[in-house]
Amino acid sequence: MTPGLAPSETPRGERAHMPVLDGVRGVAILMVLCVHFIGDSPAHSTFERAMVKLANYGVWGVDLFFVLSGFLITGLLYDSKKSARYFRNFYVRRTLRIFPLYYAVLALLFIVLPAVPVPYPSALAESAHHQAWLWLYASNGYLAIHRAWVLPYVGHFWSLAVEEQFYLIWPIVVLSFGRRSLLGICVAVTVLALALRSALSFAGAGDVALLVLTPCRFDALCVGGFVALAVRSVGLERVARTARRSLGPLLFLVLLVSGWNAWRGTLSDIVLPIRGTLIALTFGALLVTSLAARADRVLCRLLRSRVMCFLGTRSYGLYVFHGIVAYWMGDHQATLDTLASRIGSGAAMVVEATVGSGVSILLAAVSYEVFEKRFLLLKHRFAPSTNDTRAVASLDARPAE
């Protein structure tokens, strides 16, 4: 299936690959890299402060991941509703994609490294005391309870916990309702997630809880789910036309709300939750616009480029490793300060971001080729049969999500 082709125009059961989605993943992971390798850098000039401020908006890359995940997972589940092995196929495929690397990294950090005769980082030892939360995919709950980023080296695993908790609930919902009802559920849950964030904000739950608790992030996941269902209902082109008309106003509202928060800083209990939902809606519009873009358009060419697709197909490993690398570099801040004193803080910021991102990409590439692929090759054994799937299920064909 190529961009711009409506679902009904693809032969039934075809498992086509859409490089554009890899490119979207690539954009999302680049945004996240900016947060951890630039967003915490010391800034001494106006330009450097602007760079740090801009890099911190990269946290929205997680929202993009959630929208994309909601889109892919909802589509895959909806298209396989008639499968006799609906739950088995879904959960085995998700397990093969996610568990091996995740648990291998936890074992390396908390079992192998303590047994090696080298100094064990004290910050990592702190996380080791609470590792049960990580093994159970519940680290987001631990962070919310403590209202702080209290899991050094592995705090960024909270988003993986959100995804896993989403997987426990959403397959049941999709199987239990028809398309029209599911569209209404996506809208209702999006509104409820916004209301919950506002209520928790007023109650003083803290910014971390609003960011990491799964019910608070269901708006992004359900925006993606709504887009997937809408495409199957009226076709990609029709949804894309609406998305293109909505994109400008949505971007304006995101900038307006962000400007209000930066300038006035008032009504944040309402403004910031609203901004979160607006960001999700914006990414939903961008996603469907990207899918429908002609191959010769700049956006499509960028997303289909080798670099973006390379990053996208390795985005899972890159997300897992980059936070560990970033925290390790932070543990050696004295070295970075020495570098800054010699070449300047701005140049040091560039070097730190380049080295950190480069090491993370290298680790992710090696992991993907040497380790992850061995499990991904097993996924085809649990793919929905061509008799039980519909054409747009092919959007999940690539195992990089």
Side-chain angles (χ1 to χ4, degrees):
M1 179 173 167
T2 57
L5 196 63
S8 58
E9 296 176 86
T10 303
R12 186 178 180 86
E14 181 181 336
R15 301 292 290 172
H17 169 50
M18 298 192 73
V20 167
L21 296 182
D22 289 332
V24 172
R25 293 187 188 96
V27 171
I29 196 61
L30 283 177
M31 293 173 68
V32 174
L33 290 178
C34 288
V35 177
H36 288 104
F37 291 120
I38 300 177
D40 294 327
S41 299
H44 304 287
S45 68
T46 301
F47 176 75
E48 291 171 12
R49 285 190 289 271
M51 287 296 296
V52 169
K53 179 67 174 178
L54 185 62
N56 274 293
Y57 287 117
V59 72
W60 295 350
V62 177
D63 296 80
L64 180 53
F65 272 126
F66 285 159
V67 170
L68 179 58
S69 181
F71 174 77
L72 289 170
I73 296 305
T74 302
L76 176 64
L77 290 170
Y78 184 81
D79 291 336
S80 60
K81 285 182 68 170
K82 295 183 180 180
S83 172
R85 299 181 177 87
Y86 173 84
F87 287 108
R88 189 206 70 167
N89 288 345
F90 175 75
Y91 284 115
V92 171
R93 286 169 62 83
R94 289 294 87 196
T95 296
L96 289 171
R97 180 63 191 107
I98 296 171
F99 280 20
L101 178 61
Y102 180 81
Y103 283 118
V105 169
L106 291 186
L108 176 63
L109 294 177
F110 299 134
I111 298 175
V112 176
L113 284 183
V116 176
V118 296
Y120 193 63
S122 58
L124 186 57
E126 173 62 25
S127 291
H129 290 310
H130 310 289
Q131 61 179 281
W133 293 84
L134 293 151
W135 291 97
L136 294 173
Y137 271 105
S139 59
N140 59 333
Y142 184 80
L143 296 177
I145 290 171
H146 291 270
R147 303 186 181 189
W149 302 106
V150 288
L151 290 173
Y153 282 89
V154 289
H156 62 296
F157 284 4
W158 70 267
S159 64
L160 306 181
V162 169
E163 292 273 2
E164 285 302 306
Q165 292 157 21
F166 171 64
Y167 297 155
L168 292 176
I169 301 170
W170 203 239
I172 300 173
V173 175
V174 173
L175 184 62
S176 301
F177 296 93
R179 182 165 55 196
R180 185 182 298 273
S181 295
L182 287 171
L183 286 166
I185 288 171
C186 286
V187 174
V189 173
T190 297
V191 174
L192 288 173
L194 169 58
L196 178 61
R197 286 201 304 274
S198 296
L200 289 176
S201 183
F202 276 113
D207 293 339
V208 173
L210 272 62
L211 183 67
V212 304
L213 288 176
T214 300
C216 294
R217 306 314 302 265
F218 253 102
D219 54 344
L221 292 161
C222 283
V223 165
F226 183 93
V227 170
L229 294 166
V231 167
R232 285 157 176 79
S233 179
V234 299
L236 178 60
E237 288 298 338
R238 184 171 173 182
V239 177
R241 284 197 296 271
T242 301
R244 284 190 287 265
R245 289 195 297 266
S246 304
L247 193 53
L250 284 170
L251 285 170
F252 173 77
L253 288 173
V254 170
L255 293 174
L256 180 64
V257 172
S258 298
W260 173 273
N261 182 64
W263 176 52
R264 302 284 296 184
T266 58
L267 301 176
S268 59
D269 292 331
I270 299 175
V271 170
L272 293 181
I274 289 175
R275 185 178 69 174
T277 300
L278 288 173
I279 290 168
L281 291 170
T282 301
F283 283 143
L286 278 171
L287 174 60
V288 74
T289 298
S290 301
L291 287 170
R294 293 206 315 261
D296 60 345
R297 292 294 177 91
V298 174
L299 175 63
C300 193
R301 291 171 63 184
L302 172 64
L303 295 177
R304 291 167 62 95
S305 67
R306 290 186 178 182
V307 172
M308 298 308 297
C309 289
F310 176 88
L311 294 174
T313 54
R314 292 149 183 84
S315 59
Y316 176 51
L318 191 48
Y319 185 86
V320 168
F321 289 117
H322 90 281
I324 299 171
V325 173
Y327 209 98
W328 183 87
M329 294 178 70
D331 266 356
H332 296 78
Q333 187 61 47
T335 301
L336 298 175
D337 291 341
T338 300
L339 177 65
S341 66
R342 294 181 177 179
I343 65 175
S345 57
M349 185 187 302
V350 173
V351 171
E352 179 182 354
T354 302
V355 172
S357 298
V359 170
S360 301
I361 292 170
L362 177 62
L363 289 173
V366 172
S367 170
Y368 184 79
E369 297 296 333
V370 177
F371 182 70
E372 297 171 62
K373 270 189 175 180
R374 298 177 182 273
F375 298 94
L376 299 179
L377 291 174
L378 301 175
K379 288 181 65 177
H380 75 278
R381 300 182 182 181
F382 304 94
S385 68
T386 55
N387 292 328
D388 295 329
T389 58
R390 297 172 186 171
V392 190
S394 63
L395 294 176
D396 189 53
R398 193 73 174 210
E401 190 270 318

